[in-house]
Amino acid sequence: MKTRTVRRSQLVPHTIDGRTELVLDTYEVAVPVPPRDWDRTVLTTVTTAAALIGAACIVWSTASIGDLLTRVTVAPAAYAAAAVFDLVWLSCMALEWLARYDQARAALPRRAGYVALAIAMAAVGTHGWIADQAAIGIVGAAVSGLAKTMWTVVLRHHAKPLDPRTQQWVDKQRAEAGGRLAMVAVRRELTRAEALVEAERLAISGDSADAPEAPPETPEPEENAPEVEAEARPYGPMTITDAVRTALSTNITDPEAVLRYVRKVADANAKEESVTRTLRMLRKTS
């Protein structure tokens, strides 16, 4: 059995002149080396080779299709568009990789990848046919086909399909998590809508959202109260004007007392300026 030397450390007591302290002691120990995982090594090598094949495929297809498109457009635009052909099916392969535990979700990117591959191969073959090199066009198109085949085999090896019961459990968990995620956006939308409704209400009523709340009233001693506030009318809500008129009719003339009465029977957030202006107007008309 193979071993390897590992340096480790531990705290040990060390005494000098009768005083003991814990100090760090370093030592070496031989630990067994696990056998090499050749399966993982081979899989990593194959995956790396597939990545290199994909990169070479992109270079070849881009050069071939780019040369085809330069016949009708400038070279930068032609080669930029040519890179799309292989990048599309490679992106579909990446999505298929992400869905390797869910065959139902992997089916769509797999089919889309085959369609994109067929279009890329047709474009490469068309380039060879237009250049009077049909054989080279066929061989060039086969490069993309081989790269796609290689990646399909690698993905199938990495894929770990779930049994039907486990797949149903995963789907339910995914749906529940997706529902909670969706509710975040829904609550944000509802909050924004409520804020717009409140802003519209404040704009129509003329009230200010930042108006300070009325301070809690301290009941005055009965002998010091200038007057007794009138009770609220037993019918329907009152407007500020009606509340001020009622206060005046019950001999409540002090502006602060009128304001307290209005906030009590009409609008708890009534502004002092509005009440004062209404009070002056009713006094002039009386």
Side-chain angles (χ1 to χ4, degrees):
M1 181 178 61
K2 294 183 178 180
T3 61
R4 59 190 177 92
T5 302
V6 178
R7 293 179 62 86
R8 295 179 177 175
S9 59
Q10 63 180 353
L11 292 174
V12 298
H14 186 63
T15 305
I16 296 179
D17 294 336
R19 184 166 183 173
T20 302
E21 297 287 351
L22 292 177
V23 297
L24 193 64
D25 180 39
T26 302
Y27 62 97
E28 295 181 350
V29 62
V31 297
V33 178
R36 189 178 185 85
D37 187 356
W38 288 106
D39 291 345
R40 175 56 57 180
T41 301
V42 171
L43 183 58
T44 302
T45 303
V46 171
T47 304
T48 304
L52 294 176
I53 291 172
C57 176
I58 292 177
V59 173
W60 167 254
S61 297
T62 301
S64 178
I65 302 175
D67 183 63
L68 174 65
L69 297 179
T70 52
R71 300 171 184 268
V72 294
T73 187
V74 295
Y79 285 99
V84 172
F85 285 81
D86 275 359
L87 287 177
V88 170
W89 68 260
L90 283 172
S91 298
C92 291
M93 295 290 291
L95 294 175
E96 185 180 351
W97 162 270
L98 294 176
R100 62 188 180 278
Y101 299 113
D102 190 342
Q103 293 302 306
R105 297 181 67 189
L108 178 59
R110 184 184 302 118
R111 290 194 296 266
Y114 282 125
V115 173
L117 173 66
I119 295 174
M121 293 177 66
V124 174
T126 302
H127 174 253
W129 178 70
I130 291 179
D132 294 329
Q133 299 290 338
I136 295 178
I138 295 173
V139 173
V143 172
S144 296
L146 291 173
K148 170 68 173 177
T149 302
M150 183 65 181
W151 268 111
T152 300
V153 173
V154 172
L155 287 181
R156 292 293 177 86
H157 192 83
H158 281 283
K160 301 295 186 293
L162 304 177
D163 63 88
R165 291 187 177 183
T166 303
Q167 186 63 60
Q168 292 180 42
W169 185 90
V170 171
D171 291 340
K172 289 181 179 296
Q173 295 295 316
R174 184 182 289 122
E176 182 179 349
R180 293 198 300 268
L181 182 61
M183 286 307 300
V184 173
V186 171
R187 292 192 184 97
R188 186 183 299 117
E189 180 182 356
L190 292 176
T191 301
R192 184 166 54 249
E194 291 293 341
L196 292 174
V197 171
E198 181 65 15
E200 183 72 13
R201 186 190 68 80
L202 293 175
I204 294 175
S205 63
D207 295 336
S208 174
D210 298 328
E213 297 183 357
E217 298 182 8
T218 303
E220 298 180 358
E222 188 172 341
E223 61 273 15
N224 296 332
E227 62 273 331
V228 179
E229 296 186 0
E231 295 296 331
R233 293 186 179 181
Y235 51 85
M238 301 178 66
T239 64
I240 293 178
T241 303
D242 291 338
V244 174
R245 184 180 293 109
T246 303
L248 292 176
S249 66
T250 55
N251 296 323
I252 300 177
T253 57
D254 182 65
E256 293 184 0
V258 172
L259 177 62
R260 288 198 302 271
Y261 177 77
V262 170
R263 286 178 175 174
K264 178 179 178 181
V265 302
D267 186 354
N269 297 318
K271 299 173 64 174
E272 183 178 358
E273 296 81 359
S274 300
V275 175
T276 303
R277 182 171 57 255
T278 304
L279 182 61
R280 288 199 302 268
M281 179 186 66
L282 292 178
R283 282 177 173 174
K284 289 180 180 179
T285 58
S286 60

